[in-house]
Amino acid sequence: QVQLQESGPGLVKPSQTLTLRCTVSGGSISSGDFYWSWIRQPPGKSLEWIGFIYPDGTTVYNPSLKSRAYISVDTSKNQFSLKLNSLTAADTALYYCARNSPQLPDNWFDPWGQGTLVTVSS
Amino acid sequence: QSVLTQPPSVSGAPGQRVTISCTGSNSNIGVGYNVHWYQQVPGTAPKLLIYAITNRPSGVPDRFSGSKSGTSASLAITGLQAEDEADYYCQSYDTSLSASVFGGGTKLTVL
């Protein structure tokens, strides 16, 4: 079965750019009609969808991120990545990668990675 | 404030039935977008519990069921067990925000 694993720095300074990577195993990122998402969860709070990418590079982002997010895919490595710039303390969160169901726009997310905690602090 | 409103907490004794509501609007649930539910045990990632209002993924017990009416959806859990203690989130799509949105989450306590 498909599994996802996030990786990246645990601590980033304000105003810097965060780069996270999600490695997909147990299946090809290019197979099927799946999209691949990033979702975050500030400590003690709810979930926020950041955006998704299709294996051909097509992306859709949450407008709330005000164009700070950029998602890319490397099908040769079975990975997709998130860059988030102009970081502030409000970006401190658990960051998850997840697979979208093919149906858009009211897709669901399954499975999820285990999440990686990112703290924005000087 | 979340676009989808859930009660902060619900509780029930083992064996009882509890429901968790998810109230939206005419820019999400009310215009026909699907509702999905996730279970998050503290310290772990969310797990898909119900998709497209009423469907259970393989492995999810039939004690969990979903429904929808108008601008709201509900998750029902029957035969409550200690292992059901977790946070539960609803999710849909909001056409005004052009984004997938989640509810604020509901903490279920098994007494």
Side-chain angles (χ1 to χ4, degrees), chain B residues 8-89:
Chain B
S9 64
V10 298
S11 62
Q16 284 190 334
R17 177 181 187 270
V18 296
T19 61
I20 298 173
S21 61
C22 175
T23 303
S25 68
N26 287 321
S27 63
N28 41 67
I29 299 174
V31 291
Y33 288 115
N34 278 317
V35 180
H36 321 295
W37 291 91
Y38 301 87
Q39 178 192 60
Q40 186 177 33
V41 174
T44 70
K47 169 193 162 187
L48 181 67
L49 202 61
I50 297 284
Y51 66 93
I53 304 174
T54 61
N55 300 279
R56 285 186 309 276
S58 173
V60 173
D62 60 5
R63 301 187 296 105
F64 296 90
S65 63
S67 63
K68 172 187 159 180
S69 178
T71 59
S72 294
S74 290
L75 171 71
I77 310 172
T78 59
L80 209 54
Q81 300 180 2
E83 68 200 48
D84 299 333
E85 193 160 281
D87 295 321
Y88 292 83
Y89 295 91

Side-chain angles (χ1 to χ4, degrees), chain A residues 39 41 45-49 60-64 94 96 105-110 112-115, chain B residues 2 32-34 36 38 40 44-46 48 51-52 89 91 93 97-100 102-105:
Chain A
I39 298 161
Q41 184 175 34
K45 296 188 178 180
S46 184
L47 300 150
E48 180 182 33
W49 170 73
V60 175
Y61 299 102
N62 189 331
S64 70
L94 260 170
Y96 295 100
D106 52 350
N107 56 271
W108 57 89
F109 304 104
D110 180 58
W112 297 56
Q114 66 183 33
Chain B
S2 299
Y33 288 115
N34 278 317
H36 321 295
Y38 301 87
Q40 186 177 33
T44 70
L48 181 67
Y51 66 93
Y89 295 91
Q91 177 234 328
Y93 179 81
L97 298 175
S98 298
S100 289
F102 291 88

